[in-house]
Amino acid sequence: MTDRLRVFTKDDVDPDALKDKTIAVIGYGAQGRAQGLNLRDSGLEVIVGARAGGGSEQRARADGFHTLSVEDAAEEADVIAMLAPDMAHGEIYEQVLRPRMKEGDTLLFGHGFSVLYGLVKPAADIDVVMVAPKGIGQLVRREYEKGRGVPALFSIHQDATGNATKTALGYADGIGGTAAAIWETTFRDEAETDMFGEQAVLCGGVTELFLRAYETLVEAGYPRELAYTECFHELKLVVDILHEGGLNKMYSSISETAAFGDLLNGGSIIGPEVKERMKGVLDQIRSGQFAHEWILENQAGKARFEAMKARKRDHDIEDIGQHVRSFMPWLEGGGNNSGD
């Protein structure tokens, strides 16, 4: 077991790290918006690079940002935060940013993928860093507004100026990370663990688990509403408890019947054979096989990706879920009785 990662705090931040520097946010989605607003509210100079007339430009202007074309933003900025989708990074960098970035500028990423797998090959005279908050954009913004923060990772891929760490820590502080914790990592470790978590647990593993459980109950003759609420709806209730206090809080919060069922049968559902398959997924990620497939899928137009996504979106659980949620007005976007 390796030692715990060092925690970087406000004391490690040079308060002048980003003084008199202009930060350009490229990609005004959930993360771009949250980080841009937090940086501005931290007293930093922020502009948004976006396509004229596009949704990003409209949203950024509504939030009071000075917007420019991506080309002009690249010319003006000292730090460029690349927060557009991973697969767009290569084209944006080569066609727009590279010809316009100045020696000593900083190219900042929110995820290690595009640099790790060669979609972006940065010029040698710029700093290349990563700052990756460990939470969705809405959470990053919400916690900042409460005077708190979401932990963040930072990494230095290229330090052309000798100030890359200062810049990364200053940016991480600006989005609120030092109110929680900042950990140093590598582009590789961030990208590989992030993709593994998404595939094995957070997205792939969880969705397949509740879909198979739902199907098992429905095929055994139980009403779809009961199958949905037990195998999908109540998942959030347990995850919230786990998120707040780990396994100890869960076991102190659920019934003894639920705890005994967990301890007796959980390991037979997710057993050693699943761990072996997870190792296979990790091997695909670490070897670059997954990245290669995803890059090729994008180059081919993403037909297979859309077909696989449609199979899940068209699952029966989506129909009954819309119906059940219509009776839960406290859920954001719960909808009406259109699933009836």
Side-chain angles (χ1 to χ4, degrees):
M1 181 76 69
T2 58
D3 291 337
R4 292 180 179 178
L5 294 174
R6 175 190 166 185
V7 176
F8 289 76
T9 68
K10 192 86 170 179
D11 292 338
D12 297 299
V13 177
D14 180 346
D16 295 327
L18 295 173
K19 183 180 179 181
D20 300 325
K21 292 187 181 296
T22 298
I23 302 168
V25 171
I26 309 299
Y28 200 72
Q31 280 292 345
R33 181 175 189 271
Q35 293 185 34
L37 290 170
N38 290 5
L39 291 164
R40 186 179 67 185
D41 289 352
S42 294
L44 300 172
E45 181 67 28
V46 182
I47 59 176
V48 174
R51 179 175 54 83
S56 291
E57 181 189 63
Q58 294 173 17
R59 288 189 296 272
R61 286 186 175 177
D63 287 333
F65 282 106
H66 175 48
T67 64
L68 305 102
S69 67
V70 178
E71 291 84 353
D72 288 344
E75 294 272 6
E76 187 169 323
D78 306 290
V79 177
I80 296 177
M82 180 82 89
L83 300 176
D86 292 333
M87 290 299 136
H89 288 188
E91 181 177 348
I92 293 172
Y93 179 71
E94 287 298 328
Q95 296 187 12
V96 181
L97 302 184
R98 181 190 280 273
R100 294 169 177 84
M101 290 187 73
K102 307 174 294 296
E103 180 180 352
D105 281 354
T106 299
L107 183 59
L108 182 145
F109 294 87
H111 181 37
F113 186 99
S114 59
V115 171
L116 178 61
Y117 297 110
L119 295 177
V120 174
K121 297 179 176 64
D125 61 354
I126 63 172
D127 290 345
V128 182
V129 306
M130 176 183 65
V131 176
K134 299 309 292 177
I136 60 174
Q138 292 90 334
L139 181 66
V140 171
R141 180 58 179 165
R142 186 167 68 243
E143 289 303 294
Y144 180 93
E145 291 179 311
K146 292 178 179 178
R148 304 186 302 209
V150 173
L153 304 175
F154 84 93
S155 179
I156 310 304
H157 175 75
Q158 188 167 283
D159 188 2
T161 67
N163 293 315
T165 296
K166 286 184 179 181
T167 300
L169 287 174
Y171 186 98
D173 178 59
I175 64 173
T178 54
I182 308 296
W183 295 302
E184 185 172 14
T185 185
T186 65
F187 274 57
R188 178 175 295 280
D189 282 2
E190 185 278 334
E192 291 179 350
T193 56
D194 185 75
M195 290 185 290
F196 176 79
E198 290 165 349
Q199 294 174 36
V201 183
L202 306 176
C203 304
V206 165
T207 56
E208 290 298 331
L209 183 65
F210 68 64
L211 287 174
R212 299 295 84 78
Y214 170 85
E215 291 168 355
T216 299
L217 287 180
V218 171
E219 290 166 8
Y222 294 98
R224 295 160 68 217
E225 290 86 349
L226 295 187
Y228 175 83
T229 54
E230 290 301 328
C231 298
F232 189 1
H233 172 71
E234 293 192 22
L235 177 64
K236 181 183 186 303
L237 310 179
V238 177
V239 170
D240 283 349
I241 295 170
L242 288 165
H243 190 258
E244 292 165 5
L247 291 170
N248 282 329
K249 182 168 184 177
M250 185 194 77
Y251 285 124
S252 67
S253 301
I254 63 177
S255 70
E256 288 191 336
T257 302
F260 183 65
D262 163 343
L263 299 168
L264 183 66
N265 288 320
S268 65
I269 301 296
I270 308 295
E273 72 286 352
V274 174
K275 185 176 178 181
E276 288 303 310
R277 289 196 289 272
M278 287 182 174
K279 288 179 179 178
V281 168
L282 182 57
D283 287 343
Q284 290 177 14
I285 292 169
R286 296 178 73 176
S287 70
Q289 179 183 339
F290 170 77
H292 180 67
E293 281 198 43
W294 179 222
I295 292 167
L296 289 180
E297 181 67 21
N298 275 266
Q299 292 172 346
K302 296 192 289 190
R304 183 176 61 140
F305 168 71
E306 294 297 339
M308 291 189 295
K309 192 164 54 172
R311 280 197 291 274
K312 282 196 174 179
R313 284 180 165 174
D314 294 341
H315 193 282
D316 175 63
I317 201 170
E318 284 292 90
D319 175 64
I320 195 62
Q322 183 181 21
H323 172 64
V324 172
R325 289 192 299 273
S326 71
F327 300 101
M328 302 176 182
W330 63 88
L331 293 178
E332 184 176 349
N336 52 32
N337 269 347
S338 58
D340 229 344

